[in-house]
Amino acid sequence: MSKKGFEQMPQSQNNRQLIFRRRKLRASFDMTSRKTMLLFLAMLLAIGIASAQRASAGDIIPQTGTWQGHSQVREVSGCTAEIRAEIEAEPQEEMLYSQPVAFSAPFDLRQFNTAWETDVNWARRGLNFWSGTMVETERSPFGSVTSTTEIETFVLNDVKILQKAIVTVSFSRALAKQLGTSSPCVIDADITHQRVGP
């Protein structure tokens, strides 16, 4: 028997009170369910973000010591042939830094930001796996250049870290016109960080 048919049957006073309470509860839920669900989703998101930021017991903690970073361009696409040629003409492997780096537990990849001279808000995505995005804008009388770098970081062991970086270089309209390009440059690069001494 359907609920509608059931409610149309003669009811005792207790049953009528029960149905009234159910209807009142249902109306109250309809009014608050959206707010409740939004609050619940916000709580889950906050918990997920907090969990992602904390390193687990299984994460590798790199050794304190002298570290060096090297980058190597794998592919350049977009922009103009002239700009691509200039980027590709750079040394195949470029040293980014060489300096002492100290680590502490619990490990957080932001401990590396000073050495890398970056301002990346890292998020832990899995065991020994981090990702982050960095946006930089340079302005000149000719226009602006904005570089958006998306980085995936893999802690391979306590003396070596590998990064996969995709750098999208966008030009302001005026500068793009001067350069003769209508699309940004996209640079695909590998970055290796190695501990080389105490």
Side-chain angles (χ1 to χ4, degrees):
M1 181 180 294
S2 68
K3 185 174 181 181
K4 184 177 180 182
F6 176 77
E7 292 182 359
Q8 289 176 347
M9 290 179 63
Q11 303 291 331
S12 67
Q13 184 176 356
N14 289 339
N15 284 343
R16 285 196 298 273
Q17 290 177 350
L18 179 61
I19 292 172
F20 175 75
R21 288 172 183 166
R22 287 177 178 171
R23 289 175 177 171
K24 187 175 181 181
L25 180 62
R26 189 184 306 121
S28 176
F29 177 77
D30 289 342
M31 292 174 61
T32 61
S33 59
R34 180 174 177 80
K35 292 181 180 179
T36 302
M37 286 302 297
L38 289 174
L39 178 61
F40 179 68
L41 289 173
M43 290 171 62
L44 286 179
L45 181 61
I47 292 170
I49 292 173
S51 298
Q53 298 294 347
R54 292 192 298 267
S56 73
D59 278 313
I60 297 169
I61 300 178
Q63 291 185 34
T64 293
T66 301
W67 285 72
Q68 289 182 353
H70 295 83
S71 67
Q72 184 172 13
V73 174
R74 289 189 294 159
E75 184 181 2
V76 183
S77 60
C79 50
T80 65
E82 290 78 13
I83 296 175
R84 290 198 303 270
E86 287 183 15
I87 296 173
E88 292 168 350
E90 294 294 321
Q92 287 297 309
E93 188 169 304
E94 180 184 1
M95 180 179 288
L96 303 176
Y97 70 91
S98 178
Q99 68 180 67
V101 183
F103 297 98
S104 59
F107 172 64
D108 190 316
L109 202 60
R110 281 172 288 197
Q111 296 169 10
F112 239 148
N113 278 2
T114 301
W116 294 345
E117 296 182 351
T118 61
D119 187 19
V120 182
N121 187 19
W122 296 104
R124 181 179 177 276
R125 301 302 184 188
L127 191 63
N128 302 307
F129 173 38
W130 303 71
S131 68
T133 302
M134 178 177 62
V135 180
E136 296 178 303
T137 300
E138 296 183 8
R139 291 177 173 82
S140 73
F142 305 101
S144 62
V145 179
T146 300
S147 301
T148 303
T149 307
E150 298 177 0
I151 311 172
E152 291 186 340
T153 302
F154 305 88
V155 182
L156 303 181
N157 51 54
D158 61 355
V159 295
K160 189 172 185 178
I161 297 174
L162 176 64
Q163 290 182 317
K164 302 289 185 180
I166 298 177
V167 185
T168 303
V169 183
S170 304
F171 309 100
S172 62
R173 184 176 299 180
L175 185 56
K177 185 176 181 180
Q178 291 185 21
L179 295 173
T181 181
S182 58
S183 62
C185 288
V186 180
I187 304 167
D188 198 345
D190 289 337
I191 305 172
T192 303
H193 307 268
Q194 186 89 37
R195 184 182 185 273
V196 295

